[in-house]
């Protein structure tokens, strides 16, 4: 007989200090084939009389994740209670535009509770949002930004570049320059859309990264810079709890992000995307392999250009944001000057950058693997 036959289930907050409850939740997740996601800032659960977790769900910023219901308690409405609780919590935290990651088997449930599918990756992860027009409103904003820019005079569908730019380097500038030249040389002039990841998970804050890219793109009149909003995700916050190992996590993340980008490209008429070769980062190299396969399958060209090199006091080296962050840690101004454009260097010399540089110096390993 259900423990909740005569009273509604009680959803409890699971605090970091409550080791027993956390262990019970972790056991439930493990039984459900889910690993505990490291990116969680709120967790809740329903417990039975023996303090075993029978249902759970979690949040990370504006996302919902890590849902599970014990197999023998499914069909009792426990997931409804968990979802209702999390929606209330998120409203209280100021998040009204919500996203969630779930297994395909649960997507129908969330669709019946006001969530709309954005993309799914080979049957592994479904990405959803709670606004019917969220995605289309974002696309409308991108169209308006493009029309209001110098790039808006182009009549073609355009090319795209997506970057985190942590911070903006000469390597990023070379990628944009290549895309700008290709778009400008076409029979029908086309804009270049540069999307800067909006997630605030990098050492350089999102607003700073966006502004440095915008300044760096000023010489290219056919380039328009957009914030990615919540529709282009970073590997830093992608939910890894569905996958068995790191390679599977990377591949699933890349495929999901590629499928969202394909939707954006088709809606905006973007016909190609430029990416930079990645000889050092395992994550980015794997991501590029997925893009090189998936985008052409969807009719979108994917052009990979060689990484830019620079002559430095130590000889010729590949330009990377990791090297820039390392130079900031060591205070190597000579090396730094060889790796970043004027706008980025000027920012790094300004008082406004003091807090960011301090964070980089205390960040430990700043190399992106």
């Amino acid at each position: 007989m259900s423990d909740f036959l005569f009273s509604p289930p009680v959803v409890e907050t699971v605090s970091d200090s409550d080791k027993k409850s956390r262990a019970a939740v972790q056991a439930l997740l493990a039984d459900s084939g889910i690993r505990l996601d490291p990116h969680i800032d709120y967790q809740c659960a329903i417990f039975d009389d023996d303090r075993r977790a029978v249902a759970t769900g979690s949040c990370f910023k504006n996302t919902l994740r890590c849902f599970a219901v014990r197999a023998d308690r499914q069909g009792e409405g426990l997931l409804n209670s968990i979802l209702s609780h999390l929606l209330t919590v998120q409203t209280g935290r100021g998040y009204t535009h919500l996203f969630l990651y779930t297994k395909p088997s649960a997507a129908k449930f969330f669709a019946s509770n006001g969530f709309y599918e954005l993309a799914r990756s080979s049957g592994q992860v479904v990405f959803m949002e709670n606004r019917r027009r969220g995605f289309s409103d974002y696309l409308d904003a991108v169209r308006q930004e493009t029309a209001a820019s110098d790039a808006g005079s182009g009549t073609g569908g355009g090319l795209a570049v997506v970057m985190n730019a942590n911070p903006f380097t000469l390597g990023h500038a070379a990628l944009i320059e290549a895309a700008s030249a290709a778009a400008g040389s076409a029979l029908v002039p086309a804009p270049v859309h540069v999307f800067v990841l909006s997630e605030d998970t990098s050492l350089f804050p999102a607003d700073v990264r966006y502004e440095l890219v915008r300044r760096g793109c000023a010489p290219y009149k056919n380039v328009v810079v957009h914030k990615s909003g919540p529709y282009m995700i970073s590997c830093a916050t992608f939910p890894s709890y569905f996958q068995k190992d790191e390679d599977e996590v990377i591949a699933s993340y890349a495929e999901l992000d590629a499928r969202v980008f394909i939707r954006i490209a088709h809606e905006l008429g973007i016909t190609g995307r430029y990416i930079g070769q990645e000889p050092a980062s395992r994550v980015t190299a794997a991501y590029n392999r997925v893009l090189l396969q998936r985008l052409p399958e969807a009719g979108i060209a994917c052009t990979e250009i060689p990484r830019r090199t620079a002559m430095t006091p130590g000889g010729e080296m590949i330009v990377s944001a990791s090297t820039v962050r390392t130079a900031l840690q060591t205070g190597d101004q000579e090396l730094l000057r060889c790796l970043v454009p004027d706008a980025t260097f000027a920012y790094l010399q300004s008082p406004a950058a003091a807090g960011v540089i301090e964070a980089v110096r205390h960040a430990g390993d700043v190399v992106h693997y």
Side-chain angles (χ1 to χ4, degrees):
M1 182 179 294
S2 169
D3 294 338
F4 310 125
L5 184 60
F6 302 108
S7 60
V10 176
V11 182
E12 301 181 26
T13 298
V14 179
S15 67
D16 291 341
S17 60
D18 188 348
K19 294 182 179 180
K20 185 174 181 180
S21 295
R22 286 179 63 83
V25 169
Q26 195 159 344
L28 171 61
L29 292 173
D31 288 343
S32 304
I34 297 173
R35 292 180 296 147
L36 184 63
D37 194 314
H39 301 294
I40 286 176
D41 53 28
Y42 181 83
Q43 187 174 66
C44 68
I46 298 170
F47 298 91
D48 64 14
D49 291 341
D50 297 319
R51 292 300 295 176
R52 293 175 299 183
V54 295
T56 187
S58 301
C59 305
F60 177 67
K61 295 187 176 180
N62 66 336
T63 67
L64 309 180
R65 50 183 67 195
C66 275
F67 289 95
V69 177
R70 206 170 76 187
D72 64 345
R73 303 303 295 269
Q74 293 179 6
E76 297 181 17
L78 303 186
L79 192 55
N80 278 301
S81 297
I82 291 289
L83 178 60
S84 178
H85 176 83
L86 290 178
L87 293 178
T88 300
V89 167
Q90 290 289 62
T91 300
R93 302 198 312 174
Y95 295 121
T96 55
H97 190 186
L98 302 177
F99 298 81
L100 66 82
Y101 303 95
T102 188
K103 291 182 176 181
S105 58
K108 186 177 291 186
F109 165 79
F110 290 109
S112 69
N113 281 275
F115 283 82
Y116 304 88
E117 182 172 331
L118 291 165
R120 63 174 64 199
S121 63
S122 293
Q124 291 292 321
V125 184
V126 181
F127 183 39
M128 309 180 80
E129 70 172 326
N130 70 336
R131 289 187 182 174
R132 181 187 293 274
R133 285 196 50 82
F135 187 66
S136 57
D137 285 347
Y138 171 73
L139 293 173
D140 287 344
V142 170
R143 292 187 185 98
Q144 290 170 12
E145 288 173 351
T146 305
S149 72
D150 291 337
S153 60
T155 57
L159 302 176
V161 178
V162 181
M163 59 180 57
N164 191 35
N166 184 37
F168 188 71
T169 70
L170 288 173
H172 296 112
L175 184 62
I176 291 169
E177 183 178 5
S180 174
S185 65
L187 291 176
V188 180
V192 175
H193 301 273
V194 177
F195 296 93
V196 184
L197 293 183
S198 298
E199 287 181 334
D200 242 332
T201 57
S202 302
L203 289 167
F204 283 75
D207 287 344
V208 171
R209 290 186 287 102
Y210 171 79
E211 182 60 22
L212 292 180
V213 175
R214 192 189 66 78
R215 293 178 189 177
C217 289
Y220 311 109
K221 298 306 180 184
N222 62 339
V223 172
V224 55
V225 182
H226 312 285
K227 295 180 179 180
S228 74
Y231 297 103
M232 295 180 190
I233 57 179
S234 79
C235 198
T237 56
F238 178 73
S240 59
Y241 49 88
F242 294 130
Q243 283 75 40
K244 296 178 181 178
D245 56 45
E246 187 176 357
D247 287 335
E248 190 178 347
V249 170
I250 295 169
S252 189
Y253 146 66
E255 185 179 350
L256 187 67
D257 198 42
R259 291 186 184 280
V260 174
F261 175 78
I262 287 167
R263 284 194 63 187
I264 291 172
H266 285 167
E267 290 283 348
L268 298 178
I270 291 170
T271 58
R273 177 166 167 176
Y274 272 59
I275 61 177
Q277 285 181 350
E278 184 48 76
S281 169
R282 174 189 176 195
V283 171
T284 306
Y287 180 78
N288 282 357
R289 286 195 296 271
V290 172
L291 291 180
L292 287 165
Q293 177 184 347
R294 296 300 184 194
L295 297 192
E297 289 175 351
I300 301 165
C302 188
T303 303
E304 186 177 40
I305 70 167
R307 290 292 292 270
R308 178 170 177 171
T309 61
M311 288 304 302
T312 74
E316 188 174 18
M317 65 169 56
I318 290 174
V319 178
S320 75
S322 291
T323 308
V324 170
R325 295 191 297 269
T326 301
L328 286 172
Q329 278 194 329
T330 60
D332 191 338
Q333 294 295 313
E334 242 187 317
L335 174 59
L336 194 64
R337 194 66 190 90
C338 298
L339 302 176
V340 299
D342 292 342
T344 300
F345 189 76
Y347 166 76
L348 293 172
Q349 304 307 304
S350 72
V356 175
I357 294 173
E358 190 68 14
V360 172
R361 287 176 176 166
H362 290 87
D365 190 357
V366 293
V367 176
H368 177 52
Y369 297 102

